[in-house]
Structure formats: C-alpha cells, structure tokens
Amino acid sequence: MRALSIAATGMSAQQTNVEVIANNVANINTTGFKRSRAEFADLLYQTDRAAGTAARDDDTIIPEGNSIGLGARTVAIRSLSMQGPLASTNNKLDLALNGRGYFQVQGENNEILYTRDGAFNKNATGQLITLEGNLVIPSITIPNTATDVIVNSAGQVYAVIGATGTQQLLGQLSLANFANETGLAALGGNLFQETPASGTPVIGSPGDVGFATIQQGYLESSNVDPVKEITELISAQRAYEMNSKVITAASDMYSVITKDIR
C-alpha cells in the first residue's frame, strides 16, 4: 500500500524540520548566528494515465491524468542571512557588522575562514584574535602602551597612546562578501568556509558600497525570532501527527483487506 511509504516520507521530512528548528532555538543567544529553514520538494509521481493522451480511436484528448505523488524529501537547509539586532557591550574590542560582509580570520591550517562574530580579544603579543584564538586578518597588533582602542565605522583601528591622547593608526580591517552567502560551509564555532557554491570572496573595506559598517562596542545578536520558531515548531508537530494518522489509517485498511481475503 503506497500510503504507508508516502506518509513515512512526510514524517521523515517533518523530523528534519524539527531538527532545524531545534538548532535555531539552541543558538538563540549565539553571536552572529543566522537561522536556518528546511526546504522540501515533492518526490516522483507514479502515472497510470497521462494527461493529454488519446482516450479513444477518434483522437479525443484526456483533459486530466491519473498521477499519484510518492511523498516529500528535504532538498536544502537554507541559512537566512538577515541582519541580527545589535547589542551594546561597552567592550572596545567587540565589533558588530551592520550590513553585508564577514570578518576574515586564520584557520588552524592557515586557511582563511569567515565569521560574523566580532567578539575579539588580544593574545600575548597584542594581536587581535577571536575568542577561539583565530588570528584576525589583516593582522592588527595593539601596543602595550595603548590606553584605549578606537575602531571607526570604516574599519580603521587606532590606539590612543599616553596621557596626551595621541592616536596611532594600527591598521585597516577588511571584509569579505560572497555572491551566494548561503553556499558557505558552516564549520561550527561561528566560522564559515568558502565553497564552489558560495563563489570566491570579494574583499572590500567597511562602508564601501555593498559592505557593512563596523559598530564598536556592540555585537550582532542571533537573528532567531523565538515567536516564529515556536509557530514553526507547532506546525511541524501537527504535520508529523497528521502523517502518523495516515499511516495508522492505511494500516487499518490493509488489515481489513487481508482479513477479508482470508
């Protein structure tokens, strides 16, 4: 009975949907996190009689066919890269991106990775790093004599030196944009990696056309909306229950049929 396998694919799809929602809710307080959404498509159709074929010898055309779909499948889990709200931290090394773009950081194998998480710190030599220890690219070194650090919206980093308040330019932060942000590979730890689907990075300065500006003393919060996630969860749960009821009904019908045959 096809209804059993069809409904089973629906249950599997909704299970995936709930897993995606669970990950969104788990990361509701993760800096720079972008919520995901499961995308589904129908499976192949089993056609007993195709529309548009001849019905009789007089070439009468059948207006409607007889096709039954075989269920649903997950085709993608799409990352939704809408801007998250900015939260004030009053930490001079916290940098939020307001707009498109990614900070560039150095991976474990010296490859370039990308992140929206601007919660930075200093290592033992004063270099700007992520909370996981990844070196920020281009490298910025803050001298020990600095009494303050200023990062403007264009990504220029200044150190305030001594009691006179002399500002020393330390470097210029740059950002990376991608033609297809959803094609980036998520590595965990708020890091992403370039893939053939994302395209090659386009490097620019904060504030350039198409690039974000930098907000010092802020962090970008997750763009997960708790109310929307709860609504999506209820919808997925109801869809799962409906598919399970279809399986129960189909099983009962099959039992009746086999009983009558016996």
Side-chain angles (χ1 to χ4, degrees):
M1 184 173 284
R2 286 178 299 195
L4 292 171
S5 60
I6 292 171
T9 66
M11 294 179 71
S12 177
Q14 293 309 318
Q15 181 176 338
T16 300
N17 197 14
V18 170
E19 290 168 353
V20 172
I21 295 170
N23 187 58
N24 289 342
V25 174
N27 285 282
I28 200 167
N29 290 321
T30 300
T31 300
F33 178 79
K34 304 300 180 185
R35 69 179 295 266
S36 298
R37 181 180 66 205
E39 302 283 357
F40 304 100
D42 49 354
L43 288 172
L44 295 174
Y45 284 76
Q46 186 172 345
T47 302
D48 295 328
R49 187 172 70 167
T53 57
R56 299 191 297 268
D57 292 339
D58 59 359
D59 293 332
T60 301
I61 299 300
I62 297 173
E64 296 183 46
N66 181 6
S67 298
I68 297 178
L70 299 181
R73 66 185 178 94
T74 306
V75 293
I77 297 177
R78 175 174 295 177
S79 177
L80 304 176
S81 57
M82 296 90 66
Q83 176 73 39
L86 304 187
S88 175
T89 65
N90 293 320
N91 185 335
K92 293 299 181 71
L93 296 183
D94 284 343
L95 307 177
L97 295 179
N98 189 9
R100 292 188 62 210
Y102 292 82
F103 292 111
Q104 302 170 89
V105 300
Q106 189 177 78
E108 293 182 358
N109 299 316
N110 295 324
E111 75 277 26
I112 298 179
L113 303 177
Y114 306 93
T115 183
R116 294 279 298 188
D117 184 357
F120 297 139
N121 210 324
K122 296 183 293 182
N123 63 13
T125 60
Q127 290 178 301
L128 202 61
I129 59 173
T130 69
L131 296 182
E132 296 288 343
N134 300 96
L135 185 68
V136 175
I137 300 173
S139 179
I140 303 290
T141 301
I142 301 172
N144 293 331
T145 55
T147 57
D148 198 4
V149 176
I150 299 173
V151 183
N152 62 23
S153 61
Q156 294 172 319
V157 183
Y158 293 89
V160 178
I161 306 297
T164 59
T166 303
Q167 293 186 11
Q168 176 184 336
L169 180 63
L170 302 179
Q172 166 76 57
L173 293 172
S174 62
L175 303 179
N177 264 344
F178 294 88
N180 176 28
E181 292 182 44
T182 59
L184 291 169
L187 303 180
N190 292 345
L191 297 175
F192 295 87
Q193 190 173 43
E194 171 192 345
T195 70
S198 68
T200 56
V202 178
I203 308 301
S205 297
D208 287 350
V209 177
F211 288 85
T213 56
I214 289 180
Q215 198 80 17
Q216 186 181 22
Y218 287 80
L219 288 176
E220 182 188 11
S221 301
S222 164
N223 68 355
V224 175
D225 181 351
V227 176
K228 183 174 182 61
E229 297 303 326
I230 291 298
T231 303
E232 296 283 351
L233 180 61
I234 294 172
S235 176
Q237 183 182 13
R238 294 292 179 264
Y240 189 92
E241 291 172 354
M242 290 175 65
N243 278 286
S244 67
K245 289 179 180 179
V246 170
I247 288 181
T248 301
S251 178
D252 291 344
M253 293 172 64
Y254 182 75
S255 298
V256 171
I257 294 172
T258 54
K259 181 179 179 181
D260 290 344
I261 293 176
R262 292 173 187 173

